[in-house]
Structure formats: structure tokens, C-alpha cells
Amino acid sequence: MVNAKTHYDNLLAPYYSWMLGGFELKLEDNRKYFLDHGIQPVLSAIAMDLGAGCGFQSIPLAEAGFKVIAIDTSRDLLAELKKMAGKLPIDTVEDDLLNFRQHGPEESELIVCMGDTLTHLDSPAHVKGLFENVYQALERNGRLVISFRDLTVEMKNLARFIPVRSEANIIFTCFLEYEKKHVKVHDIVYERTDDQWLMKKSYYRKLRIPPEWTRESLLMVGFEIETFDMQSGMLTIIARKR
Ligand SMILES: C[S@@+](CC[C@H](N)C(=O)[O-])C[C@H]1O[C@@H](n2cnc3c(N)ncnc32)[C@H](O)[C@@H]1O
């Protein structure tokens, strides 16, 4: 079975920031999000970014004054992050985010796992286990920010073919295949080189995480929910450790 790491290594990493509309646009979205929600350092100023990718959250957090530890399994995306971050205080770690406690201090002020990273985990038990570990790893009054796509609502028939992005020489299409607990995400890229169109394809599974289950799981672990916001199918939660 293709796991998330193989999928990013084999296909997705070089197209990732382009397919989302470009690097600067995503940085700006996250800068605005953190500013609007008062995410700025007031305690130790240590932030951990789990599934940091190319840095769409790490870079704005470092600009806001955090010292960031960015963890991801994609070497290529972390290299992009390093290049784009310049001299900002961001340490990158290539590892499974579930091992995050091995790479940070005993406690952090902020832990983020954003941009749909959570759905890359294998099972609800992994998500719940992560919440428990994050709770332990936060300072008192520290916060967790998660955002992910609600995949519990099933698209039907042709709606499952999603035209992600295209331009003169690249066409990126995604096809969704629904399973009970997961969605099989097939990414198909046509890229023109000289006078030929080359097709690349790969798939991975994303977890269908129910929003209400997530709220309940966070509360059960001990978090207080500050923000629970669904916009265009994307759920963002800010949870605090009291
Ligand atoms: C959808 S991207 C989000 C990246 C970034 N947070 C953003 O908003 O652009 C998911 C990221 O999680 C990483 N990832 C997936 N599973 C992981 C795991 N178990 N441990 C570490 N990184 C993981 C992928 O390599 C990818 O960079």
C-alpha cells in the first residue's frame, strides 16, 4: 500500500505549493489567520509544527516571534521550507510527526497540525493518541491548532473528479474513491515536456475524521475548545490546555 510519504516522494512534493495557488498566497492566508486569532508568543515562544510541509504555517509563526520546530516525513518539502525560511528561527526534522516528543523540549507553547495533515494519519486511534501526547507536551495555557478537511460527506459520481489546477503545461486532477474509514485520493498529473504530454499518477489514503468526534476527543483529553470553525468543508479548531 502507498503511504503518505511515498505519495509525496513519488508525486506530490514538487507540485504541492503550486497546486494550492502558490507559496506567497498560502503564507499570507496563514499570517492573517494567526493574527486574527491572536496566535503570538506569550509563554516560552516554542512552537512545534507537525506535518509542516514547505512551511506555510512555520514561516508565519517564526515571523510572529516563535522559535519553530518543523516536523515532516517529506525531505523535499522540508528542503523547500529551509530555502524559503532564510534566517528565520526554524529547525526542521525529518521524521514521523507521531514521534514529535523526541524532537522538542519537554513542553511547548504552541503545537500546530494544519492544512489537512491530520487526515494523513492511519486511524482514529492515532489521532486520539496524538491529542493525548500534545496535551502532555503543552505548557499550561498553551494551544493546539488543527485544521483538516471534513471527508465524512461523500461526493458521488462525477463530482469525485476534482480539477485541482491547470496551466499551459500542467494539468493536475484528483479522483476520490470512498471507503468506510478512508478516502483513496488518486492524484493524476499531465505535464508537457517538448511536444509530449507525460502522465504521472499515484494514490494515498486519507482518514475520514468526523468533526464532532474530534471535538469530543479533544474535550475528553482535557482541552478547552476556543474555536471550532467550518469553512468550505475545512474544519479549524483552536484548543487550549488550562
Ligand atoms: C497536506 S500537507 C500540509 C502541509 C502544511 N501543514 C500545509 O498546510 O501546507 C500534509 C503534510 O504532512 C506530511 N505528513 C503526512 N503524514 C506524516 C507523518 N506521519 N509524519 C510527518 N509528516 C507527515 C506530508 O509530508 C505533508 O507535508
Side-chain angles (χ1 to χ4, degrees):
M1 190 180 99
V2 178
N3 62 21
K5 177 172 167 43
T6 314
H7 184 73
Y8 278 80
D9 287 352
N10 287 351
L11 184 127
L12 198 48
Y15 301 101
Y16 183 75
S17 55
W18 169 81
M19 94 176 172
L20 291 175
F23 211 96
E24 194 47 46
L25 181 86
K26 296 306 291 179
L27 284 188
E28 204 43 48
D29 285 352
N30 283 290
R31 280 185 192 119
K32 182 167 175 358
Y33 184 82
F34 293 137
L35 193 66
D36 289 352
H37 292 83
I39 309 275
Q40 56 189 30
V42 287
L43 301 167
S44 67
I46 306 286
M48 299 201 77
D49 185 357
L50 312 184
C54 52
F56 293 154
Q57 289 81 32
S58 290
I59 291 173
L61 289 173
E63 288 169 348
F66 285 99
K67 279 167 58 189
V68 182
I69 300 158
I71 304 181
D72 205 284
T73 41
S74 168
R75 181 172 301 181
D76 292 342
L77 288 179
L78 288 178
E80 193 179 352
L81 188 164
K82 266 289 182 214
K83 190 168 135 225
M84 300 306 280
K87 290 193 162 43
L88 287 168
I90 304 175
D91 285 338
T92 55
V93 179
E94 187 186 333
D95 195 8
D96 193 312
L97 66 89
L98 295 176
N99 301 329
F100 79 96
R101 294 206 75 180
Q102 295 170 21
H103 303 295
E106 203 48 33
E107 292 185 335
S108 305
E109 172 172 353
L110 178 73
I111 298 182
V112 303
C113 185
M114 297 175 70
D116 213 25
T117 296
L118 215 51
T119 61
H120 293 60
L121 298 186
D122 284 344
S123 70
H126 284 97
V127 176
K128 192 93 182 285
L130 179 67
F131 291 166
E132 285 162 1
N133 279 327
V134 166
Y135 191 83
Q136 295 301 324
L138 279 173
E139 291 160 25
R140 216 164 139 233
N141 285 320
R143 288 191 280 186
L144 164 69
V145 188
I146 55 175
S147 61
F148 62 92
R149 188 158 291 286
D150 176 10
L151 297 169
T152 58
V153 183
E154 190 166 329
M155 289 184 187
K156 303 275 187 205
N157 302 321
L158 293 175
R160 296 171 302 156
F161 290 86
I162 299 165
V164 178
R165 190 169 178 192
S166 62
E167 58 182 36
N169 296 321
I170 312 179
I171 303 168
F172 195 127
T173 310
C174 176
F175 171 67
L176 303 179
E177 195 179 349
Y178 288 84
E179 300 174 338
K180 196 159 178 273
K181 296 260 165 66
H182 296 87
V183 178
K184 234 162 126 181
V185 179
H186 304 260
D187 286 335
I188 299 143
V189 182
Y190 280 93
E191 188 158 10
R192 183 158 53 187
T193 41
D194 303 324
D195 58 351
Q196 277 199 330
W197 284 93
L198 194 74
M199 183 178 74
K200 300 175 198 169
K201 54 189 173 178
S202 172
Y203 74 88
Y204 62 142
R205 281 187 168 79
K206 283 190 174 178
L207 192 58
R208 303 175 73 179
I209 308 174
E212 279 310 318
W213 174 89
T214 310
R215 187 208 298 268
E216 288 306 316
S217 301
L218 288 165
L219 290 173
M220 247 149 70
V221 166
F223 281 106
E224 196 172 275
I225 308 281
E226 289 191 343
T227 303
F228 188 90
D229 184 29
M230 180 74 84
Q231 282 197 21
S232 311
M234 199 80 174
L235 177 66
T236 307
I237 302 177
I238 303 178
R240 193 185 286 272
K241 173 176 175 174
R242 285 293 184 198

